[in-house]
Amino acid sequence: MECCSIHASWSPGGNVSGTAGRADRTEDGATPGGPHRPGTPAAPRGRGPVVAALMTGMALAALDGTIVSTAVPQIVGDLGGLSVFSWLFSGYLLAVTVTLPVYGKLSDTFGRKPVLIAGIVLFLTGSLLCAAAWSMESLIAFRIVQGLGGGALQGTVQTIAAGLYPLKERPRIQARLSTVWAASSVAGPALGGLLAGYADWRWIFLVNLPVGGVALWLIVRHLAEPDRAGASPGPRARARVDWPGALAIFATGTLLLTALVQGGVAWPWLSAPSLALFAGAAALTAVTVLIERRAAEPIIPGWVWRRRTIAAVNLSLGALGLLMVAPTVFLPTYAQSVLGLGPIAAGFVLSAMTLSWPITAALSNRVYNRIGFRLTAVTGMTLAVLVLLAFPLLPHPGEPWQPALLMLLLGAALGLFQLPLIVGVQSTVPWAERGTTTASVLFCRQVGQSVGAAVFGAVANAVLSTRLTEGGLDDPAALTPAAVDTAVEYVFAGAAAAGALALAVLLTLAPRRFPVLTDDDRTTT
C-alpha cells in the first residue's frame, strides 16, 4: 500500500528567509518572517489540475498492481504459460523497485516534470504492448516495460506532492494519494474480473490509455517548475548522470529480487540457482559501492545513509514493507480457508485497512505538529504491533468481523506511522535532494516487501509442511483450516517482530526532533 509526493504563486501566510539547508528548531513548519529569497519559488495557487494529475498517475500505478490478478485464468487460457505466469507480477515488481533510485536521482538532476512525463509515456507504451501480446513471454517482457514506467510514477508523484503544500498542510495531498491507492486496491480486482469476464483481458491494459492520457495532458499543461539554477546554492553546473552506477544498481537489484521472489517457489532456497543469484547479488553490491564512491554524481549518494534521519526512515519503512506482507498476502488466504469466505468477501476483510489508513494519515499533522514526527511514528507503530499480536488470539473458528476490526485498527495505526516519516524526511532536505531521498525511502519499502514475501512464505510453508508430516498426508489440499490458521498466526507474529524492529530503529537511530529546513514551507516544485 502506498500512502502512501504549478502554475502561479501562493503564500502560506508568512515569508521565509535564511539560507538553504539551515535547520529550524521546530517541526511545525514555523519560520521567521522576512522577504522571500530569490530562487525559492512560492507555492502555487492553481494546484487543482496538478493534484488531479498526481492522483490520476497514482491510480495508474495502484490499479496495475491489482487489476491483473483476477484476469490470470483468462490470460493463461489464451496465451498459455501457466508455469511462468507469476512473472507477470514479479517482473513488474522487479522493474519498479530497481528503477526507483535511478528516477529519484534523475528528477533531482533534470527536474520532476520531464521524469514524470517520460514515466507516463513509458507506462502507456508498455500498456499498449501488453494489450498486443501474442505469448506469455512477450506479455511478461511488456509488463517489465510497464514497470520501468511505474518506477517513475511512484517516486516522482510522491516527490512532487511534497512541494505542493507547506509542511502543516502536507498530509492533505498525501491523504488524497492514500485514498486513491485504497480505492484502487478495492476496485482493481473487481474491474479486472469484469473486463476479463465480459469483454477481453486485453482491456485491462487498454483502459490505462485514456486515464494516462488525461494525466499526461494535465502535467504538460499545468505543472511548472522553478529555474533549476535557483533550486540550490552555488553556480549552475552541467548535469551529469552516473549511468554506470544506474546499470550496476539495476543489475544488483534484479539478481537480489529475483532470488527473493523465486526462492522457495521456482526452486528450493538452498539450490544452485538460489545460491548463484545471492552470490551474484553480493558481488554486484561490492561493485556498485565501488562505482558509487568514485562517481561525481552518484545515483545513491553516501549522504543517504550517513544522515541519521534519512537512514532511520529508510530502515523503518523497510520494516514496514516486511510487515505489510502479512495482511496483504496471507489474510485473504486466511479469510477463505479458515473463515470459509468467497474471494470477494475475503477482499472486503482486507479492505477495512484501506479505509482507516488515509483518515488517520490526513489527521496525522495535528499529532506531529504537537509531539514531533518521531514520537507520532513511534505511537503508530506501537499500536500496530499490539494489533498484530492480537491476531493469533482470535478464536478458531471466528467471525469475519473480528479480523476486519483488527485490519481497521491496523490501518489507523499505520496511517500514523508512515505518513509522518515520509513528510518528515522530505522536509529535512532541499529541493535538489528531495527526489533522491524520496526514492530511497520507497526503494527500501519495496525491498522490504520482497524480503517479507520470501521470509514469511518460508515460515508458512514450514508450518504447513510440519502439519502434513504429522498428519501423514501427501496432498497439500488435505490440510485442515486449523493448519492454515496456525501458519497465518506465525506469519502475523513475525510481522509484529518486524514492527518491533521499526520501533527499535526509530528509538535508537532517529533524532528526537527532525531537522526541518527553514525554507521548507515554500514549495520548490
Side-chain angles (χ1 to χ4, degrees):
M1 172 167 182
E2 299 280 340
C3 276
C4 331
S5 309
I6 295 189
H7 201 73
S9 61
W10 169 84
S11 171
N15 295 321
V16 178
S17 63
T19 58
R22 180 174 141 196
D24 196 3
R25 294 186 180 180
T26 68
E27 294 175 342
D28 60 2
T31 52
H36 175 59
R37 184 169 56 85
T40 306
R45 283 192 301 262
R47 293 175 293 195
V50 178
V51 171
L54 295 182
M55 294 175 68
T56 305
M58 184 62 74
L60 280 175
L63 275 173
D64 203 73
T66 57
I67 196 173
V68 179
S69 59
T70 49
V72 166
Q74 288 77 16
I75 294 174
V76 172
D78 189 11
L79 301 180
L82 179 61
S83 61
V84 295
F85 85 89
S86 63
W87 274 98
L88 289 176
F89 309 98
S90 301
Y92 182 85
L93 172 67
L94 288 172
V96 169
T97 303
V98 300
T99 55
L100 275 169
V102 177
Y103 284 125
K105 182 61 178 180
L106 290 177
S107 72
D108 283 342
T109 304
F110 298 108
R112 325 299 187 210
K113 184 174 182 177
V115 172
L116 183 56
I117 290 174
I120 294 175
V121 170
L122 192 56
F123 185 90
L124 296 182
T125 301
S127 298
L128 185 60
L129 291 172
C130 285
W134 57 88
S135 65
M136 182 62 73
E137 290 74 18
S138 65
L139 182 57
I140 291 170
F142 298 147
R143 282 282 288 168
I144 292 174
V145 174
Q146 264 194 316
L148 295 176
L153 282 173
Q154 289 196 26
T156 312
V157 164
Q158 293 281 2
T159 305
I160 293 175
L164 288 177
Y165 292 87
L167 179 58
K168 288 184 178 180
E169 302 177 30
R170 200 162 293 159
R172 183 185 305 174
I173 178 63
Q174 296 288 357
R176 291 179 183 178
L177 295 178
S178 298
T179 302
V180 169
W181 199 277
S184 300
S185 299
V186 176
L191 179 59
L194 287 173
L195 291 175
Y198 295 98
D200 187 276
W201 63 264
R202 298 178 190 274
W203 279 100
I204 67 177
F205 300 107
L206 291 175
V207 75
N208 290 332
L209 300 181
V211 177
V214 171
L216 189 62
W217 180 80
L218 290 171
I219 289 295
V220 171
R221 181 175 177 84
H222 294 283
L223 177 61
E225 293 189 284
D227 181 8
R228 290 287 291 115
S232 59
R236 185 173 184 174
R238 181 177 178 270
R240 290 178 291 180
V241 179
D242 176 26
W243 293 115
L247 181 61
I249 292 169
F250 190 91
T252 304
T254 298
L255 288 185
L256 176 61
L257 293 177
T258 300
L260 292 172
V261 169
Q262 296 298 102
V265 179
W267 48 69
W269 283 109
L270 297 180
S271 65
S274 278
L275 296 178
L277 286 170
F278 280 119
L284 282 177
T285 298
V287 172
T288 302
V289 171
L290 182 62
I291 292 174
E292 293 295 88
R293 282 184 174 179
R294 295 182 176 182
E297 296 288 341
I299 296 295
I300 303 181
W303 55 259
V304 168
W305 295 105
R306 287 194 298 268
R307 297 182 191 176
R308 288 178 56 197
T309 305
I310 302 176
V313 172
N314 282 346
L315 294 175
S316 298
L317 289 184
L320 174 65
L322 192 72
L323 176 158
M324 285 302 298
V325 172
T328 57
V329 175
F330 291 92
L331 186 63
T333 300
Y334 171 88
Q336 294 179 67
S337 300
V338 178
L339 301 180
L341 301 178
I344 296 178
F348 280 117
V349 172
L350 176 60
S351 68
M353 181 175 64
T354 67
L355 298 177
S356 57
W357 191 315
I359 294 174
T360 54
L363 298 175
S364 65
N365 64 323
R366 300 186 180 184
V367 182
Y368 66 64
N369 283 335
R370 291 178 176 271
I371 64 176
F373 292 117
R374 188 184 77 159
L375 188 54
T376 302
V378 167
T379 301
M381 184 52 73
T382 300
L383 295 174
V385 170
L386 294 176
V387 172
L388 292 167
L389 289 175
F391 188 89
L393 303 179
L394 292 179
H396 174 76
E399 297 294 332
W401 67 265
Q402 294 167 334
L405 176 60
L406 290 185
M407 291 304 101
L408 192 70
L409 296 175
L410 182 63
L414 294 179
L416 285 177
F417 172 77
Q418 177 177 263
L419 184 59
L421 292 183
I422 292 179
V423 172
V425 76
Q426 288 176 332
S427 303
T428 65
V429 294
W431 188 97
E433 296 175 353
R434 190 172 290 163
T436 298
T437 301
T438 302
S440 72
V441 168
L442 299 179
F443 175 76
C444 289
R445 189 180 62 189
Q446 290 282 110
V447 171
Q449 288 178 334
S450 299
V451 173
V455 171
F456 292 146
V459 169
N461 288 337
V463 174
L464 294 176
S465 297
T466 300
R467 289 302 182 94
L468 281 173
T469 302
E470 292 174 349
L473 303 173
D474 296 323
D475 185 5
L479 284 167
T480 64
V484 177
D485 180 51
T486 302
V488 176
E489 287 178 355
Y490 273 93
V491 168
F492 270 79
L501 176 62
L503 285 175
V505 168
L506 287 176
L507 293 174
T508 59
L509 185 58
R512 188 178 65 86
R513 306 289 289 181
F514 282 23
V516 174
L517 298 187
T518 55
D519 63 345
D520 196 53
D521 265 358
R522 293 283 183 175
T523 184
T524 52
T525 301

